[in-house]
Amino acid sequence: GGIAVILMTAVGLALYTSDQLGQAVERTTHEVLPETLAALRLSERSALLVALAPALANASDREQSQRLADQLDGLVREIDAHIARLNVRIDPNTIAILRDRVAFLATTLQTLKAANANRIALNNQQAAMLAEIGTLHGEMNDIVSPVVYGVNSLNQLLTKRLVRQQATTMRGLQ
C-alpha cells in the first residue's frame, strides 16, 4: 500500500511537472520566441537602414536614388511592423518613443531623398552647362583664331615695311 501511494504521488508529480514544462514550452514558442524574433528583426532592419542611408546620399543618378529610396521606405515599414509585434509586452511609453523616432527617421529620409534629387538635378545642369561652355569655347576659338592670325600677319607685314622704309631712309642719309 505505501509503495503504491509513493508511486502514485511520483507519477502525479511527474505528470504535473511534464504539464508545467509543456506550458512553458508552449508559452516560449507562442509568446516569447515571436517577440524575441521581432526584436531581432527590428535590430537588423534598423542596422540596415543606418547602413543604406549614406548610399542614398551618394546615389549618382535618379534610378539608383529611387531604388535605394524604395528599399529604405520598405525598411521603415518593416520596422513599424516589428514595433507593432512588440507592442504586446513592451511598455507603451517605450513603444511611443520608438514610433516617434521611426517617424523622425522617416521624415529625415524624405528630406535626404529630396536633397539628393536636387543634387542630382544640379549635377545634370552643371554637366549640361559645362558641355555648352565647351561648345561656345570651340566656336569662339573658331571665330577668334582667324582674326588673331590676320592681325599677326598684318603686324608682320607692317613691321617689314617699316624696316624697309627705315633702311631706305638710312641709305639715303649716308
Side-chain angles (χ1 to χ4, degrees):
I3 293 185
V5 171
I6 293 175
L7 188 58
M8 292 295 275
T9 304
V11 169
L13 186 60
L15 288 174
Y16 175 76
T17 306
S18 176
D19 183 54
Q20 290 297 316
L21 181 61
Q23 288 178 8
V25 168
E26 185 74 21
R27 183 176 162 271
T28 301
T29 304
H30 290 95
E31 295 175 18
V32 175
L33 195 59
E35 290 174 5
T36 304
L37 187 59
L40 178 65
R41 295 290 181 246
L42 178 62
S43 175
E44 288 174 350
R45 297 304 181 245
S46 298
L48 187 57
L49 185 76
V50 169
L52 284 178
L56 176 64
N58 291 325
S60 58
D61 57 31
R62 288 193 187 276
E63 292 80 25
Q64 182 184 19
S65 177
Q66 187 60 46
R67 184 175 38 81
L68 288 168
D70 292 343
Q71 192 174 0
L72 288 169
D73 288 341
L75 286 172
V76 169
R77 284 190 301 275
E78 286 181 36
I79 287 171
D80 277 337
H82 292 305
I83 289 172
R85 287 187 195 127
L86 291 174
N87 200 17
V88 176
R89 294 201 182 253
I90 305 294
D91 176 39
N93 291 331
T94 303
I95 295 296
I97 290 169
L98 282 174
R99 289 192 188 283
D100 286 345
R101 290 189 180 165
V102 169
F104 176 73
L105 185 61
T107 303
T108 303
L109 287 174
Q110 291 298 331
T111 304
L112 181 61
K113 284 186 247 180
N116 192 46
N118 288 339
R119 181 188 59 82
I120 290 171
L122 289 174
N123 283 346
N124 291 341
Q125 285 178 348
Q126 180 185 27
M129 288 180 157
L130 287 174
E132 186 176 345
I133 287 171
T135 302
L136 292 174
H137 179 265
E139 290 174 2
M140 179 137 172
N141 202 17
D142 291 345
I143 292 170
V144 171
S145 289
V147 172
V148 169
Y149 177 77
V151 168
N152 190 28
S153 296
L154 181 63
N155 217 8
Q156 287 176 356
L157 179 68
L158 291 176
T159 302
K160 287 179 183 178
R161 182 187 294 169
L162 184 63
V163 168
R164 278 195 306 264
Q165 285 175 354
Q166 286 179 354
T168 304
T169 304
M170 293 295 277
R171 278 189 226 139
L173 288 175
Q174 288 180 357

